[in-house]
């Protein structure tokens, strides 16, 4: 009779099997996200930027300049950096610098919160009573029970399985509780950061700009995207329950990145943010859910404010896709890329309906796509229009072509060079746009 035991990976699999929190992934990811040395350096940079800026609108830009020029305060521990921020905030009080005292204070609290949460997550993961230690104790206790059982005269045939199942069950229960605590700590932090972002925006400070990138991490993108995904998922059977204000509020940092991309190339970190947002918002499924709402717009009878929010959300998703993808360095998720692959599908099946909805969303685009993206949009629009004409059905080709024509020179070149006898529709649309 052999005892095969169990591993921490067995415990993890059991905890996450039905959608339980995967703290083994999210915990280490959060520890990497909050870099203590970088945070200390950035705190000092913001203290200096606060002292040198006239108002909160200048703070992000000045912090970026100082960060690029001097990098950091070498060797300054976080506690000293936090003290410098506090001193800067006190110095600004009563100086008449509009909003600066509140902005610097909020930034200091955000950085301190990030560090405190990091400490808590590290303890919940690797501390004496953290996730790893708890599971190891259950594994050791199971082996001790087995060794004790071997000393008995009569060992039941199912002793090994009984011992394993008893201790594995206990390990899963304790690990589930620990994983839940860790998830709550991280989600609580991200919720507080969302609230602070709104405060800072009201004070004239753009949290997606400057040297402090706490709001632009893939983890924060995933957190906000999950909220949007859950709202859009109601489109099929509970559209009346959608919280439009919440969904659009979650898109604010996303929209700020897109706005910056209109004027300059985004950083690799900003592209990662957009990509992470789409991944966790549902990718192609999010476009389908959103398009379903747009097609049912008249039936929804939304109040004017919510109707405007629906348009804003559609514009964000369309512009974000055109901003994030079409570059050699960023690969579009498969669930979104498949929506372009008109030539693969025939008939009126589920994909055709998905493409119709995708086209509805793309009709709200406003940013200029790259050359490669424009070429893909043009070919997709032309092929889909031809298929829709053959099937005597509405397709998403109008919205897709609208997005392509935002880069008019490239779209014109592509349309005129398209080798198709059925290209009259695209030429007509181009003529109207020109």
């Amino acid at each position: 009779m052999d005892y095969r035991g169990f591993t921490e990976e067995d415990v993890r699999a059991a905890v996450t099997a039905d959608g339980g929190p995967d703290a083994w992934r999210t915990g280490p990811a959060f520890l990497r996200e909050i870099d203590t040395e970088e945070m200390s350096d950035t705190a000092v940079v913001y203290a200096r930027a606060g002292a040198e800026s006239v108002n909160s609108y200048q703070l992000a830009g000045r912090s970026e300049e100082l960060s690029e020029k001097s990098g950091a305060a070498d060797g300054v521990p976080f506690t000293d950096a936090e003290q410098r921020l506090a001193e800067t905030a006190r110095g600004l009080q009563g100086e008449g610098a509009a909003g600066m005292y509140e902005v610097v204070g909020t930034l200091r609290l955000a950085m301190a919160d990030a560090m405190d949460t990091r400490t808590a997550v590290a303890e919940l993961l690797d501390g004496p009573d953290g996730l790893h230690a708890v599971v190891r104790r259950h594994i050791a206790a199971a082996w001790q029970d087995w060794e004790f059982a071997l000393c008995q005269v009569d060992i039941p045939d199912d002793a090994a399985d009984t011992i394993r199942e008893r201790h594995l069950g206990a390990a899963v229960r304790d690990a589930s509780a620990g994983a839940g605590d860790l998830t709550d700590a991280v989600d609580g932090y991200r919720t507080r950061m969302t609230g602070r972002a709104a405060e800072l925006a009201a004070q004239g400070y753009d949290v997606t700009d400057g040297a402090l990138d706490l709001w632009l991490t893939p983890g924060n993108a995933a957190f906000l995207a999950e909220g949007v995904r859950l709202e859009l998922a109601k489109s099929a059977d509970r559209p009346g329950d959608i919280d439009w204000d919440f969904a659009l509020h979650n898109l604010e940092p996303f929209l700020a990145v897109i706005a910056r991309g209109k004027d300059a190339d985004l950083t690799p970190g900003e592209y990662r943010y957009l990509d992470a947002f789409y991944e966790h918002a549902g990718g192609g499924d999010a476009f389908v859910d959103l398009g379903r709402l747009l097609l049912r717009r008249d039936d929804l009878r939304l109040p004017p404010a919510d109707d405007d929010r629906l348009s804003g959300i559609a514009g964000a998703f369309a512009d974000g896709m055109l901003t994030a993808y079409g570059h050699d360095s960023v690969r579009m998720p498969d669930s979104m890329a498949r929506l372009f692959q008109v030539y693969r599908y025939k008939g009126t099946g589920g994909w055709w309906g998905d493409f119709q909805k995708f086209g509805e969303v793309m009709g709200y685009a406003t940013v200029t796509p790259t050359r490669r993206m424009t070429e893909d949009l043009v070919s997709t629009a032309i092929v889909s229009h031809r298929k829709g004409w053959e099937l005597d059905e509405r397709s998403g080709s109008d919205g897709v072509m609208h997005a392509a024509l935002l880069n008019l020179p490239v779209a014109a070149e592509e349309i005129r060079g398209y080798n198709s006898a059925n290209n009259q529709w695209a030429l007509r649309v181009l003529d109207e746009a020109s």
Side-chain angles (χ1 to χ4, degrees):
M1 184 185 304
D2 293 324
Y3 173 66
R4 58 191 175 92
F6 59 92
T7 66
E8 186 164 353
E9 192 56 39
D10 293 327
V11 175
R12 177 185 182 181
V15 170
T16 60
D18 297 319
D22 189 357
W24 290 265
R25 178 182 60 81
T26 57
F30 187 77
L31 297 181
R32 292 191 298 271
E33 178 180 324
I34 308 300
D35 185 310
T36 54
E37 280 191 33
E38 181 183 354
M39 188 68 64
S40 173
D41 297 341
T42 304
V44 177
V45 166
Y46 268 83
R48 294 169 179 165
E52 297 177 20
S53 301
V54 174
N55 56 47
S56 57
Y57 292 92
Q58 294 182 357
L59 182 60
R62 185 59 182 144
S63 72
E64 189 69 33
E65 291 174 17
L66 289 171
S67 179
E68 291 174 355
K69 289 178 180 177
S70 61
D74 295 335
V76 178
F78 177 73
T79 53
D80 292 348
E82 186 180 20
Q83 180 62 29
R84 291 204 191 180
L85 269 179
E87 290 170 0
T88 301
R90 285 196 296 272
L92 287 166
Q93 192 172 19
E95 293 293 324
M100 284 295 294
Y101 179 74
E102 292 82 1
V103 168
V104 173
T106 302
L107 290 170
R108 182 182 64 80
L109 288 174
M111 286 188 266
D113 192 2
M115 296 297 291
D116 289 345
T117 305
R118 189 188 194 283
T119 299
V121 168
E123 186 72 12
L124 287 166
L125 195 64
D126 297 312
D129 294 312
L131 188 62
H132 297 314
V134 166
V135 174
R136 284 196 298 268
R137 284 199 288 269
H138 281 293
I139 291 172
W143 277 105
Q144 288 174 355
D145 276 6
W146 173 244
E147 289 170 357
F148 177 78
L150 289 176
C151 298
Q152 308 305 305
V153 175
D154 296 320
I155 305 176
D157 293 340
D158 62 351
D161 289 340
T162 299
I163 290 171
R164 182 182 188 276
E165 293 307 313
R166 182 172 73 250
H167 286 281
L168 176 58
V172 169
R173 286 191 295 274
D174 287 349
S176 295
D181 290 342
L182 190 151
T183 300
D184 289 345
V186 174
D187 286 354
Y189 161 77
R190 299 201 192 284
T191 300
R192 293 190 296 276
M193 291 295 286
T194 302
R196 289 191 179 106
E199 290 177 33
L200 290 164
Q203 295 163 356
Y205 179 86
D206 180 3
V207 299
T208 65
D209 202 1
L212 183 61
D213 61 359
L214 284 177
W215 283 273
L216 272 185
T217 64
N220 276 330
F223 179 75
L224 294 174
E226 180 67 15
V228 176
R229 184 188 68 79
L230 292 174
E231 294 304 318
L232 294 182
K234 300 173 185 176
S235 66
D237 53 5
R238 293 185 294 133
D241 292 342
I242 294 175
D243 187 334
W244 300 100
D245 184 61
F246 173 77
L248 190 57
H249 178 65
N250 277 22
L251 282 162
E252 287 174 359
F254 184 82
L255 285 165
V257 174
I258 294 169
R260 193 153 54 254
K262 292 180 180 179
D263 301 320
D265 290 337
L266 298 181
T267 65
E270 288 168 330
Y271 281 123
R272 285 194 296 272
Y273 181 91
L274 295 178
D275 191 46
F277 190 96
Y278 279 120
E279 177 189 351
H280 292 274
D285 289 341
F287 281 83
V288 171
D289 289 339
L290 188 51
R292 181 184 295 113
L293 292 164
L294 294 169
L295 287 169
R296 298 178 58 188
R297 192 171 206 150
D298 292 341
D299 297 333
L300 293 175
R301 299 182 183 277
L302 296 174
D306 284 343
D307 194 65
D308 288 344
R309 291 181 179 113
L310 173 55
S311 295
I313 293 167
F317 267 80
D319 284 346
M321 193 200 78
L322 297 184
T323 302
Y325 304 111
H327 309 271
D328 290 337
S329 58
V330 188
R331 181 179 181 274
M332 184 183 291
D334 290 342
S335 66
M336 292 168 65
R338 78 177 185 90
L339 295 172
F340 285 77
Q341 297 166 354
V342 192
Y343 58 87
R344 283 190 174 188
Y345 300 89
K346 296 180 180 179
T348 59
W351 179 88
W352 187 251
D354 288 353
F355 181 76
Q356 291 173 317
K357 298 176 183 70
F358 171 63
E360 289 294 316
V361 178
M362 296 312 297
Y364 287 81
T366 64
V367 305
T368 304
T370 65
R371 168 174 284 276
R372 191 172 77 190
M373 175 63 76
T374 302
E375 292 169 353
D376 288 346
L377 289 166
V378 167
S379 61
T380 300
I382 291 174
V383 174
S384 66
H385 182 269
R386 184 170 68 248
K387 284 185 176 293
W389 180 79
E390 290 170 356
L391 297 166
D392 194 25
E393 282 196 0
R394 176 182 183 179
S395 77
S397 51
D398 290 334
V400 174
M401 185 60 83
H402 160 81
L405 290 170
L406 293 169
N407 189 339
L408 189 56
V410 175
E413 177 185 326
E414 186 71 8
I415 290 171
R416 293 184 180 123
Y418 201 86
N419 183 22
S420 171
N422 299 306
N423 199 21
Q424 296 305 308
W425 165 77
L427 289 169
R428 185 173 67 252
V429 172
L430 175 61
D431 184 59
E432 293 170 357
S434 302

